[in-house]
Amino acid sequence: MSMSELKDTYNRTIDYLRISITDRCNLKCVYCRPKKTLKNFRESEVLTSEEIERIARVAHKHGVRKVRFTGGEPLMRTDITRLISSVKKIGIPDLSLTTNGVMLSGLARDLKKAGLDRVNISLDSLKSERYKAITNGGDIGDVLNAVDAAEKAGFSPVKINVVPIRGFNDDEILAFASLTLDKDYHIRFIEFMPVGCNEIWEREKCIGAAEITDKISALGELSCLEFRGRGPSRNYRIKGAKGIIGVISPVTDHFCNFCNRLRLTADGKLRPCLFSDLEIDIRTPMRNGAPDDEIDRLFCNAVRSKPERHLLDKAASPGKFLRAMSKIGG
Ligand code: SAM
């Protein structure tokens, strides 16, 4: 199947699809899922592995080269290894997954064998009690074991996602950054975003990229590494360190002009922008027997609907998006 490059209205090449494969999660992180119990999608609402594979095939045909599985917690899908294997076989060169790590230790080798290229593990505190509080009951031991298991399975470098939030875990920025001194980890600090976290979102809790790098420079001279690929992460290395520190700044320094991505929710909606409620339903037409060229058309429409940039800084009241992060995938 021939691959063509797909450009949006602002001449950005869209080659990255983030697929939320479930909205279920075995943790309940305070900044990701609203406290009021979110109702999970009914099983019949969630895309089947065949439907996900079909959409990934269409995306690949239009030039998508990177696919990331996310959620909810993607490892809660019992067909995860089969799903990875079938999407990899389409010919996606870069297949990755973001996980909280709770179930990763026992699965890491199988995921690697199935064709998973990279893994990001979310970890917001190195302190056991605090981790438990942030995640509503998680055991940090599971995640630390997962980091080891991922390394042993050959996912190198292991990427660790940290969301620093003022008053929650901002006193651990240096501890996380220090992990890169001796280990080839890639620690990625992601600014706290006002999506689906209405209860705790406050602008002052978001620690901006500049403040993060400023803090980290206490550990030694920071060299700024060249952008690798077209990802949103600005990467640094502390002098003499083995690993890398990435800072992702959607709030204080948006990178919309480099945006190369589209999102697919677990219930089959294409989202052109994380910070917009605009969604294009692809599941209903698929289930009504739409032929491939109709699915193609919907996919291309979603790409063309990408806004020039998000308007978080202009929104009167950010944090009012309809979906929680756990229902989009981050
Ligand atoms: N369950 C998986 C996990 O924990 O990594 C995947 C889903 S989670 C929604 C994906 C990523 O989004 C995680 O790294 C999480 O820290 C991040 N995230 C969730 N809510 C966020 C928010 N309000 N601001 C910034 N990042 C957020």
Side-chain angles (χ1 to χ4, degrees):
M1 194 184 283
S2 72
M3 283 212 330
S4 56
E5 223 184 44
L6 193 54
K7 298 248 187 206
D8 73 359
T9 328
Y10 302 95
N11 209 29
R12 294 171 296 204
T13 301
I14 306 306
D15 58 7
Y16 180 19
L17 180 63
R18 294 176 68 98
I19 307 181
S20 171
I21 59 175
T22 177
D23 65 325
R24 285 165 201 270
C25 192
N26 41 9
L27 296 179
K28 213 170 170 205
C29 299
V30 287
Y31 62 87
C32 186
R33 284 169 75 89
K35 220 174 193 154
K36 280 180 245 137
T37 313
L38 269 187
K39 255 199 173 163
N40 288 322
F41 294 135
R42 288 192 302 275
E43 218 176 305
S44 61
E45 291 178 297
V46 174
L47 293 176
T48 64
S49 52
E50 289 76 19
E51 288 166 336
I52 292 171
E53 190 193 327
R54 186 173 177 202
I55 297 168
R57 206 174 278 285
V58 167
H60 178 250
K61 178 173 148 194
H62 289 290
V64 165
R65 307 181 149 270
K66 275 175 72 173
V67 168
R68 176 174 294 274
F69 287 156
T70 174
E73 174 48 40
L75 299 187
M76 289 190 75
R77 265 189 87 131
T78 49
D79 57 354
I80 182 68
T81 40
R82 202 166 58 92
L83 198 47
I84 284 170
S85 161
S86 63
V87 169
K88 187 67 187 175
K89 277 188 195 137
I90 292 170
I92 301 288
D94 183 353
L95 182 56
S96 57
L97 175 140
T98 303
T99 172
N100 59 31
V102 170
M103 298 168 74
L104 183 61
S105 297
L107 283 168
R109 276 180 200 282
D110 289 345
L111 297 176
K112 185 76 188 162
K113 241 193 258 161
L116 187 67
D117 297 298
R118 299 184 295 118
V119 70
N120 286 47
I121 300 173
S122 303
L123 178 62
D124 296 309
S125 176
L126 296 167
K127 300 180 180 180
S128 164
E129 281 313 305
R130 183 180 282 173
Y131 178 79
K132 189 170 272 181
I134 293 177
T135 56
N136 270 299
D139 179 349
I140 196 172
D142 293 338
V143 191
L144 299 178
N145 289 339
V147 172
D148 278 353
E151 264 190 309
K152 287 194 182 113
F155 293 109
S156 180
V158 173
K159 294 192 178 180
I160 298 177
N161 288 359
V162 187
V163 180
I165 302 179
R166 206 178 307 285
F168 279 63
N169 59 353
D170 51 324
D171 54 341
E172 293 188 67
I173 290 176
L174 282 186
F176 273 108
S178 306
L179 296 177
T180 65
L181 294 173
D182 305 318
K183 296 284 253 171
D184 181 25
Y185 293 149
H186 188 154
I187 304 289
R188 290 157 65 95
F189 293 102
I190 305 170
E191 286 178 354
F192 179 32
M193 295 181 259
V195 178
C197 45
N198 308 8
E199 297 134 352
I200 72 157
W201 165 260
E202 282 171 50
R203 182 63 184 77
E204 310 72 64
K205 285 187 182 148
C206 169
I207 304 180
E211 186 176 339
I212 294 170
T213 46
D214 199 40
K215 278 199 173 151
I216 293 167
S217 58
L219 291 171
E221 196 185 314
L222 275 189
S223 51
C224 189
L225 308 176
E226 270 183 43
F227 270 102
R228 285 194 306 185
R230 297 193 302 124
S233 174
R234 215 157 274 186
N235 295 334
Y236 304 87
R237 194 189 296 278
I238 301 169
K239 197 172 182 186
K242 289 204 171 127
I244 287 176
I245 294 163
V247 184
I248 304 181
S249 56
V251 180
T252 64
D253 186 13
H254 76 85
F255 36 81
C256 303
N257 18 353
F258 302 108
C259 187
N260 60 345
R261 61 198 58 193
L262 211 57
R263 291 178 168 79
L264 175 65
T265 63
D267 60 337
K269 310 284 190 295
L270 284 167
R271 276 181 80 103
C273 173
L274 175 60
F275 300 107
S276 157
D277 283 322
L278 176 68
E279 298 183 335
I280 290 150
D281 182 8
I282 198 164
R283 188 194 66 196
T284 309
M286 263 196 317
R287 291 191 180 172
N288 288 340
D292 278 354
D293 52 357
E294 172 65 3
I295 305 301
D296 274 7
R297 196 186 59 77
L298 289 170
F299 188 84
C300 296
N301 267 357
V303 168
R304 285 192 202 101
S305 310
K306 279 180 74 61
E308 186 174 14
R309 52 161 298 192
H310 71 61
L311 296 172
L312 273 188
D313 47 353
K314 300 210 166 71
S317 171
K320 285 179 91 178
F321 301 101
L322 296 177
R323 282 187 192 247
M325 194 68 116
S326 62
K327 287 210 178 281
I328 306 174

